[in-house]
Amino acid sequence: NVSKPILIENGHCDGGNYNTAECGWDGGDCKKFNKFNKKYPGCNISGLKEFDTIGNGRCDGGKYNTAECGWEGGDCDGNG
């Protein structure tokens, strides 16, 4: 049960109770987030909004430009 079912499959991973098998991983919205977490378990993402900068095709640098985070999900070239 979620408080706002309208948030399911809205194009944004809402996490929490929405990112469950019962909710279809937020209607598929959390698919990229879950795949990334499985591939890079050592990457500590502090929030879903920050996750939107990972794997977006642009190297933003900062704390996710590390080997543990796959050089920002492949956006950066590995120069840390």
Side-chain angles (χ1 to χ4, degrees):
N1 280 336
V2 292
S3 59
K4 297 179 182 177
I6 195 163
L7 295 178
I8 295 173
E9 201 174 359
N10 67 348
H12 175 74
C13 178
D14 297 293
N17 291 333
Y18 296 90
N19 190 11
T20 63
E22 294 80 18
C23 287
W25 314 115
D26 197 7
D29 293 341
C30 293
K31 196 174 189 178
K32 179 182 170 190
F33 178 78
N34 294 338
K35 184 177 179 181
F36 182 86
N37 279 335
K38 188 174 184 177
K39 187 172 182 178
Y40 302 107
C43 183
N44 186 15
I45 300 170
S46 51
L48 289 171
K49 287 187 179 194
E50 285 192 15
F51 178 72
D52 289 340
T53 66
I54 298 172
N56 66 354
R58 187 181 72 227
C59 180
D60 300 297
K63 63 183 172 183
Y64 302 118
N65 188 15
T66 64
E68 293 81 15
C69 294
W71 308 113
E72 200 177 301
D75 290 343
C76 302
D77 63 8
N79 288 326

